[in-house]
């Protein structure tokens, strides 16, 4: 389990995050939902160790050693997800370089990931030569290669058209079903949160506080059809009423 405990963060005099606490059980997907600029990316950066909180801590329980939490990040914009001067294959291999020193062993691991993601046909292309969806899929491949403690996905589908986003969400769910890694995903889409997450955390505007944490017990594996069901409708209604409360 990963515990986010009482995180406070300011930039200069501007308070951004206020007392943010929640738990991510092993293998859970947690969605962060909240208005622009409320600090969702800041929170991901703090969890990834790329930014420092003013107070509070991120704790990983049951870890066998005392190493830092490792995170596999995927960013919002597919144009920035990969290094543009490296092929898809090169980008995935790069994630393995510090962990797998032997070149043949590394090649084998890259092959496994490429096969798992069905990227064989595209592996020697450069990011600009593939669609945004394939680029993000390759970014998932890089996160997969890192084999981190947690995936941190910052709006990974939001720069894609509706159909590409749907396809990539299904691909992500199929990948996740295999190794059920703890995941935090930032989204502005209620349906995406309902389809993917076990818990949906709703943030207020600045300074961001947690307004509510909604459990999503829709059985897995999930399909798009379930988005039309009664349980989905109840969750959707709840999110909308909370979101409306901070419009005023
Ligand atoms: N390095 C920084 N220095 C100063 N202010 C920053 C810095 N990074 C972010 N901010 C400010 O902190 C606030 C939160 O930014 P953040 O990017 O975390 O929001 P967000 O919830 O991810 O927004 P969005 O939904 O638009 O992606 C914003 O007001 C932003 O301008
Ligand atoms: Mg953001």
């Amino acid at each position: 389990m990963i515990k986010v405990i009482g995180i406070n963060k300011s930039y200069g005099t501007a308070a951004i995050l206020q007392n943010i606490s929640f738990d991510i059980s092993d293998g859970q997907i947690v969605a962060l939902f909240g208005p622009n600029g409320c600090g969702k990316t800041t929170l991901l950066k703090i969890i990834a160790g790329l930014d420092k909180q003013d107070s509070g801590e991120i704790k990983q329980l049951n870890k066998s050693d005392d190493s830092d939490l490792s995170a596999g990040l995927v960013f919002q914009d597919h144009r920035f997800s990969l290094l543009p001067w490296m092929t898809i294959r090169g980008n995935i291999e790069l994630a393995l370089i510090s962990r797998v020193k032997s070149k043949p062993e590394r090649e084998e691991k890259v092959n496994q990931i490429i096969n798992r993601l069905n990227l064989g046909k595209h592996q020697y292309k450069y990011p600009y030569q593939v669609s945004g969806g394939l680029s993000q899929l390759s970014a998932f491949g890089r996160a997969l290669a890192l084999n981190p403690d947690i995936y941190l996905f910052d709006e990974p589908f939001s720069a894609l058209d509706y159909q590409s986003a749907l396809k990539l969400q299904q691909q992500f769910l199929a990948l996740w079903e295999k190794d059920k890694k703890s995941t935090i995903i930032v989204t502005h889409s209620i349906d995406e949160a309902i389809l993917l997450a076990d818990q949906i955390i709703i943030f207020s505007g600045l300074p961001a506080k947690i307004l509510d944490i909604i459990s999503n017990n829709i059985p897995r594996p999930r399909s798009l059809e379930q988005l039309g069901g009664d349980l989905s409708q109840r969750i959707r209604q709840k999110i909308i009423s909370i979101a409306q409360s901070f419009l005023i």
Side-chain angles (χ1 to χ4, degrees), residues 170-186:
Q170 303 294 329
Q171 285 171 305
F172 163 67
L173 271 180
L175 281 178
W176 178 86
E177 286 290 341
K178 293 230 169 73
D179 58 1
K180 297 229 164 74
K181 212 177 259 301
S182 305
T183 302
I184 300 181
I185 184 159
V186 174

Side-chain angles (χ1 to χ4, degrees), residues 11 16 34-42 45 76 155 188 206:
Y11 285 121
I16 309 292
N36 284 131
C38 76
K40 303 177 297 297
T41 298
T42 303
K45 285 192 198 152
Q76 167 172 5
E155 302 186 46
H188 290 293
L206 284 180

